Amino acid sequence: MAIYDILYEIKDERTANGIAKFNGYLEDYLSMIEDDETKKDIHALFTPLFMKNEELRICVDLKLGINKDAIANQIIRYKDSFKLPRGSITCPYLIYGNFQESQKAVIFVPGNKEEYVMAKALYYVISEPENEYEGTRNEVIATSISNENKDIVMDGIDQFFYKNEKAGIVQRSLDGRLFIDYEEMYDIAQTMASYQLVNLKDILAQSDNAQTTINQIIATWFLLKKFSYVQYMMDKNNLNRVHEGNVKRQRQAAKEKCDAIGFVSYSELWKLVKDLKVSK
């Protein structure tokens, strides 16, 4: 199935067993959040998309699963991520529609460069083989969106939705316009992972629900590892320039990048929670 057909059938929380917070017309969602002060930026950023195409739909907070048998996930070897319940990883916004007899969607994460890295990671989860979205990888792109990058992002979306440019070309263009190269993106991923590692005690101490917070911590590390590995493997220029076309050497380098994203085990996270309770 194509991406519009798949997303259209997703049930949201208005029905039993829904796996999204909202799934319907973008117009309806914008009406819902119009008076919500916490969503005013999102309302402003998404309104131009609706003004150009009133038939667009949006899926909000879509719950995603992890295919532990996917080759990339086996190479990443972050086994704690396989313990996560569905919904620990959510895709904030997916806007989708029909265009010139093709179906297309954009993953949006509100924010700038850090959020762009997370958006790409979410794309790599959705495009894993043998899941419900299999076969749609060329119908989806991913980006962050903010007041700072909106002109670049909207230009990319226009190319993708209305000028029939291929997803891979648009995605690489966005990568190139927002980042110098892979290394800049990877440095951001490492910084995000390290921040979480260094501030674990504070993150857990401020949590009202230890289980949920631990799941979110593991999900974040998984996404950063996923991005670091797959993004490196997708870089054909890097394959030819650095590794002289040797895929095995590229894979080894990608794995080293991924392994350098540090983490604390599930059991150690719970030990930290217990230690914090004792110290109170």
Side-chain angles (χ1 to χ4, degrees):
M1 291 177 68
I3 192 64
Y4 182 97
D5 295 331
I6 295 170
L7 293 174
Y8 185 88
E9 295 297 327
I10 287 173
K11 306 299 182 185
D12 60 30
E13 63 182 19
R14 294 173 293 181
T15 61
N17 301 317
I19 61 169
K21 187 173 183 180
F22 176 87
N23 189 28
Y25 282 107
L26 178 57
E27 178 181 15
D28 294 338
Y29 182 69
L30 291 174
S31 296
M32 283 175 52
I33 67 172
E34 188 171 8
D35 298 321
D36 186 342
E37 280 297 310
T38 66
K39 295 286 193 299
K40 64 180 182 179
D41 289 341
I42 286 298
H43 188 279
L45 289 166
F46 286 167
T47 294
L49 293 171
F50 163 69
M51 296 297 289
K52 190 159 187 174
N53 186 343
E54 296 182 1
E55 297 301 312
L56 288 176
R57 295 174 64 87
I58 186 169
C59 190
V60 180
D61 289 341
L62 174 64
K63 297 178 181 178
L64 301 175
I66 298 172
N67 177 10
K68 67 179 181 179
D69 295 322
I71 293 173
N73 294 340
Q74 289 294 312
I75 293 172
I76 290 168
R77 286 195 311 172
Y78 185 26
K79 294 181 180 179
D80 285 345
S81 65
F82 301 152
K83 302 173 185 176
L84 293 173
R86 188 184 183 96
S88 299
I89 294 176
T90 60
C91 183
Y93 300 100
L94 262 163
I95 291 181
Y96 60 104
N98 283 301
F99 307 92
Q100 301 173 5
E101 299 182 357
S102 61
Q103 302 185 18
K104 299 179 181 181
V106 179
I107 295 168
F108 288 100
V109 178
N112 291 299
K113 289 191 173 185
E114 289 186 353
E115 289 75 19
Y116 189 93
V117 167
M118 297 305 284
K120 292 291 294 284
L122 290 168
Y123 167 79
Y124 292 138
V125 172
I126 282 179
S127 61
E128 286 177 354
E130 298 181 16
N131 68 11
E132 57 267 58
Y133 308 101
E134 185 173 20
T136 67
R137 61 183 303 170
N138 294 321
E139 299 170 344
V140 183
I141 63 172
T143 184
S144 60
I145 187 166
S146 68
N147 287 323
E148 287 72 25
N149 70 13
K150 65 180 180 182
D151 291 340
I152 292 173
V153 169
M154 290 301 179
D155 181 57
I157 292 168
D158 190 60
Q159 294 287 326
F160 184 48
F161 278 175
Y162 305 111
K163 297 182 180 178
N164 207 30
E165 193 64 84
K166 291 182 179 179
I169 293 173
V170 175
Q171 191 71 71
R172 287 190 294 274
S173 175
L174 286 171
D175 288 358
R177 294 180 71 181
L178 294 171
F179 297 88
I180 299 170
D181 53 19
Y182 168 84
E183 291 303 325
E184 183 188 0
M185 301 171 87
Y186 178 70
D187 287 346
I188 289 170
Q190 269 199 321
T191 299
M192 293 167 69
S194 297
Y195 177 86
Q196 188 167 262
L197 193 63
V198 170
N199 293 281
L200 273 180
K201 287 185 178 179
D202 290 339
I203 294 169
L204 292 168
Q206 295 168 16
S207 170
D208 295 325
N209 186 316
Q211 182 66 73
T212 298
T213 300
I214 286 173
N215 288 344
Q216 291 171 345
I217 289 169
I218 292 171
T220 298
W221 276 328
F222 169 76
L223 289 171
L224 294 172
K225 282 177 168 290
K226 182 87 168 176
F227 167 82
S228 299
Y229 179 80
V230 182
Q231 182 74 19
Y232 195 87
M233 290 300 297
M234 294 289 287
D235 191 339
K236 291 183 179 179
N237 290 328
N238 198 42
L239 167 64
N240 295 322
R241 186 179 67 254
V242 178
H243 303 292
E244 300 176 337
N246 189 316
V247 176
K248 186 175 181 180
R249 291 212 312 250
Q250 184 189 29
R251 186 177 297 112
Q252 181 58 38
K255 188 176 185 309
E256 289 171 1
K257 297 280 189 184
C258 168
D259 288 347
I261 301 291
F263 67 94
V264 171
S265 70
Y266 186 84
S267 59
E268 284 296 313
L269 288 169
W270 272 112
K271 185 177 183 299
L272 277 173
V273 170
K274 292 175 183 178
D275 290 345
L276 286 168
K277 288 180 179 179
V278 170
S279 65
K280 284 185 177 180

